[in-house]
Structure formats: structure tokens, C-alpha cells
Amino acid sequence: MEITQEQKTFMRKAIEMANEGMTTNKGGPFGAIIVKDGTIIATGCNQVTSSNDPTAHAEVTAIRNACKKLGSFQLDGCEIYTSCEPCPMCLGAIYWARPDKVFYANTKVDAAEIDFDDQFIYEELEKPLGSRDIPFVQILREEALETFQNWSTKKDKIDY
């Protein structure tokens, strides 16, 4: 795939967001932007430590900002530019948001080299629930299933 000058400009903005967030002590060195129709509609930088929110990664922050701006829970027609290959959480958020494409700069190996290593999460996902480092204990399934059954027959639900 041929990378355009415009795409490089967008990636430089994501890298700029990473630097800005890091130098202002918002969080780690990660930035992201979301583009629709050639225009930046949202930005985000890692804000984990400044907001005490472990989900405030750059991609998640940018997705939240973009969805709010678009008035939609999906990013149809959008591209995400992120300064680093997304972690497992951000990857999940990206797939739920359904952008058209993701561009990234640094790799997960690059991130691991500066102590942002998500390999343990990938390994945990492969383990049976009972063998994970954090115990997962199922309780009250029958009671919870009632809510799922109600959802399946709800007439005014918005599918996603």
C-alpha cells in the first residue's frame, strides 16, 4: 500500500499527541487521532495516570471523543492513526467502533522495550478461565439470563 503525504501528516499529529500527553504528564507516550473525510475529528492521548483511569488509553480517548462528536457509537468512514500498535483493550475498542482502517507507528515490541508489555494479556486470553492469574468466578447466571432474554425480545432496541 502506498502511503500518502496526507496520511504521514495525520500520523505526525498522532505522534505529536503522544509527545504532548507525555510531556504534560497526562500519561504514557501514546497518541491517536481519528480522521473522517480527510479532516481530523478527534484526538486523544494516554491519560491513565492523570485521570486514574486504566482505560484512558489514547485510542479509547480518541474513540470516545469522535463518537461524541459524530453522535454515533460507530466510526463508519473513519480512519484511526495511532502512535503505537494498539494494546488488546484498544484493539477490542477499535473493532467495536468499526473504523475503515487503522494506521500505527511504533510496534508492540517497541512498546515492550520501554516497559509497556501486553504479552501477559495475550497469554492470559489463551488460558482456561480457571487458570488465569485473576480468578474469574461465575455466579447467578440464571438470574442474569433473564436480562438477556428480555433484550432478545425488546422491540425498541438499537442493534450494534
Side-chain angles (χ1 to χ4, degrees):
M1 173 182 177
E2 182 76 24
I3 302 298
T4 68
Q5 286 302 316
E6 182 178 56
Q7 290 165 333
K8 290 178 183 178
T9 298
F10 291 141
M11 183 56 74
R12 287 185 181 106
K13 178 64 176 174
I15 295 166
E16 178 184 317
M17 293 301 303
N19 280 312
E20 180 182 317
M22 178 189 62
T23 58
T24 59
N25 291 324
K26 289 182 181 175
F30 304 96
I33 66 162
I34 298 180
V35 174
K36 184 171 179 120
D37 300 324
T39 301
I40 297 172
I41 62 164
T43 63
C45 65
N46 182 292
Q47 298 177 34
V48 169
T49 56
S50 63
S51 66
N52 293 320
D53 180 354
T55 68
H57 288 200
E59 297 92 335
V60 171
T61 301
I63 288 168
R64 288 174 181 161
N65 292 339
C67 288
K68 185 179 286 188
K69 181 168 185 166
L70 294 173
S72 174
F73 53 84
Q74 294 187 325
L75 297 177
D76 299 323
C78 294
E79 297 175 338
I80 297 177
Y81 293 79
T82 178
S83 65
C84 187
E85 184 178 358
C87 75
M89 178 186 68
C90 293
L91 187 61
I94 288 166
Y95 272 93
W96 280 116
R98 298 179 178 95
D100 290 356
K101 192 175 287 182
V102 176
F103 296 88
Y104 66 95
N106 292 317
T107 68
K108 62 184 180 182
V109 173
D110 297 329
E113 289 176 358
I114 61 164
D115 296 326
F116 289 95
D117 190 355
D118 299 320
Q119 187 58 38
F120 75 98
I121 296 173
Y122 293 108
E123 292 169 5
E124 283 289 297
L125 290 172
E126 297 298 319
K127 294 179 184 177
L129 287 176
S131 299
R132 292 184 178 167
D133 289 347
I134 297 174
F136 282 70
V137 181
Q138 184 179 28
I139 61 173
L140 300 178
R141 179 175 179 258
E142 293 302 319
E143 290 182 33
L145 278 175
E146 185 177 328
T147 302
F148 276 15
Q149 291 163 349
N150 291 339
W151 172 260
S152 70
T153 59
K154 183 174 169 52
K155 300 287 186 227
D156 62 343
K157 66 184 170 192
I158 298 172
D159 289 320
Y160 60 96

